[in-house]
Amino acid sequence: MPHSISAFQAAYIGIEVLIALVSVPGNVLVIWAVKVNQALRDATFCFIVSLAVADVAVGALVIPLAILINIGPQTYFHTCLMVACPVLILTQSSILALLAIAVDRYLRVKIPLRYKTVMTPRRAAVAIAGCWLLSLVVGLTPMFGWNNLAEVERAWAANGSAGEPVIKCEFEKVISMEYMVYFNFFVWVLPPLLLMVLIYLEVFYLIRKQLSKKVSASSGDPQKYYGKELKIAKSLALILFLFALSWLPLHILNCITLFCPSCHKPSILIYIAIFLTHGNSAMNPIVYAFRIQKFRVTFLKIWNDHFRCQPTPPTDEDLPEERPDD
């Protein structure tokens, strides 16, 4: 008999689909903008592309898998585990991309004259590859054994069943809360977030320090440079704030699950936390469009050239020699 979907599940699926329909095109547009605009070929924007790739995968892969889990199909344990791991990989990739962006902005204001020799395209590519490799290791750790298989097998054997357990596929049924809290949250989420906060505080301090210096006729360019750095640093710090705001509630609920198993967690809070995590993938393109001029101009150019069939005249924003800081 086919599994029937309740009205609540239908509403959940509808919201998830809406998030995906915003996330995927929005982040594809971000990648497209960096590809077509030479002025966006800065190391920071390469890291932003890495972040956008992870967000595209959230909309195209994680959300469909989340809908599947919500329906609750009967699957083998390891099949369900494979369905649950992609979100761990992509979350970790996003965190490391944000950390790379923060370090890059710090280098830009700390050593502006040596920045281009330190942050070369090759080193940026190696950093991005390293972030994804580390994300795979962290996100696939449950596949290597840190999961709930032993507990599920005991319950399976107690029912007189043999072979690999068949379960109703749910995230908490296969992913260990010890892994989610002690390893994922306390090691790979919370420390990087705190480190990024410290980095941005130092970035703002260095920029304010430079801007507070007495302006002279010869210091116009440095003043302009640090003014642009301040503007883009604020935008990227906003991206970090939205990420933390979106993901911390779910991790806090995981902590409650582990440390207070008897505590009741209202279902509506769990669904809101899930929507926040998935919705974060749709937020970044909106922030770029409203806060970073080069993205906004390039988005409009792509829209006019490819969707309205009204090519826009070239602007100063398209010049490759211009720095991507406004």
Side-chain angles (χ1 to χ4, degrees):
M1 183 176 179
H3 183 88
S4 60
I5 298 176
S6 67
F8 186 82
Q9 283 180 314
Y12 166 81
I13 292 171
I15 295 173
E16 289 281 39
V17 169
L18 181 62
I19 292 172
L21 290 176
V22 175
S23 175
V24 174
N27 285 286
V28 167
L29 190 61
V30 170
I31 299 168
W32 193 352
V34 174
K35 183 178 184 299
V36 301
N37 191 347
Q38 289 287 340
L40 294 175
R41 300 295 174 83
D42 181 271
T44 296
F45 295 111
C46 292
F47 296 131
I48 286 176
V49 165
S50 179
L51 182 61
V53 168
D55 287 338
V56 168
V58 168
L61 178 64
V62 170
I63 287 179
L65 292 178
I67 292 172
L68 182 65
I69 289 178
N70 182 261
I71 295 173
Q74 296 288 325
T75 68
Y76 288 113
F77 180 89
H78 283 96
T79 302
C80 185
L81 193 59
M82 289 177 64
V83 169
C85 282
V87 68
L88 302 174
I89 298 170
L90 297 172
T91 304
Q92 194 57 50
S93 174
S94 297
I95 292 171
L96 294 177
L98 289 169
L99 180 58
I101 290 169
V103 172
D104 179 72
R105 302 322 293 184
Y106 173 76
L107 293 175
R108 288 186 69 90
V109 299
K110 185 68 175 178
I111 51 170
L113 298 180
R114 293 193 296 120
Y115 170 78
K116 285 190 175 182
T117 61
V118 173
M119 186 55 71
T120 62
R122 179 182 175 83
R123 287 176 179 171
V126 169
I128 291 170
C131 288
W132 277 98
L133 182 61
L134 187 56
S135 300
L136 285 170
V137 172
V138 174
L140 291 178
T141 295
M143 294 294 296
F144 303 145
W146 197 346
N147 53 53
N148 291 334
L149 179 59
E151 179 183 332
V152 170
E153 281 182 331
R154 282 195 297 269
W156 183 251
N159 290 331
S161 303
E164 183 175 358
V166 176
I167 61 171
K168 181 181 179 182
C169 187
E170 296 174 347
F171 187 86
E172 290 187 12
K173 190 165 286 186
V174 294
I175 300 294
S176 164
M177 276 299 115
E178 285 82 3
Y179 162 82
M180 286 301 301
V181 174
Y182 293 127
F183 185 68
N184 188 278
F185 183 46
F186 287 169
V187 176
W188 292 105
V189 174
L190 196 56
L193 287 178
L194 294 175
L195 179 58
M196 282 183 269
V197 170
L198 293 177
I199 290 173
Y200 276 112
L201 288 175
E202 179 67 11
V203 167
F204 289 132
Y205 169 76
L206 291 172
I207 293 174
R208 295 291 187 186
K209 184 178 178 182
Q210 291 295 328
L211 291 177
S212 65
K213 291 181 178 180
K214 185 177 180 181
V215 180
S216 64
S218 61
S219 65
D221 288 341
Q223 289 286 323
K224 182 180 179 181
Y225 175 82
Y226 285 106
K228 291 180 178 180
E229 284 298 323
L230 179 61
K231 185 176 181 180
I232 199 167
K234 286 180 178 178
S235 300
L236 296 173
L238 176 60
I239 295 291
L240 173 61
F241 172 76
L242 291 174
F243 184 89
L245 190 67
S246 299
W247 279 96
L248 286 178
L250 187 60
H251 282 289
I252 291 170
L253 288 175
N254 288 338
C255 291
I256 293 173
T257 299
L258 179 63
F259 298 126
C260 184
S262 61
C263 294
H264 173 66
K265 296 182 298 181
S267 295
I268 188 65
L269 288 183
I270 297 174
Y271 278 104
I272 289 173
I274 292 172
F275 287 143
L276 282 174
T277 60
H278 294 167
N280 179 252
S281 65
M283 295 177 189
N284 293 349
I286 298 172
V287 174
Y288 301 148
F290 281 96
R291 299 276 308 182
I292 302 178
Q293 186 179 5
K294 276 189 169 57
F295 267 123
R296 182 167 62 251
V297 171
T298 309
F299 288 165
L300 290 173
K301 179 175 171 56
I302 291 172
W303 172 257
N304 289 328
D305 289 354
H306 298 276
F307 298 98
R308 293 185 61 196
C309 298
Q310 295 180 1
T312 54
T315 66
D316 291 341
E317 299 295 333
D318 300 317
L319 296 177
E321 65 270 14
E322 188 174 359
R323 303 183 66 88
D325 301 308
D326 23 75

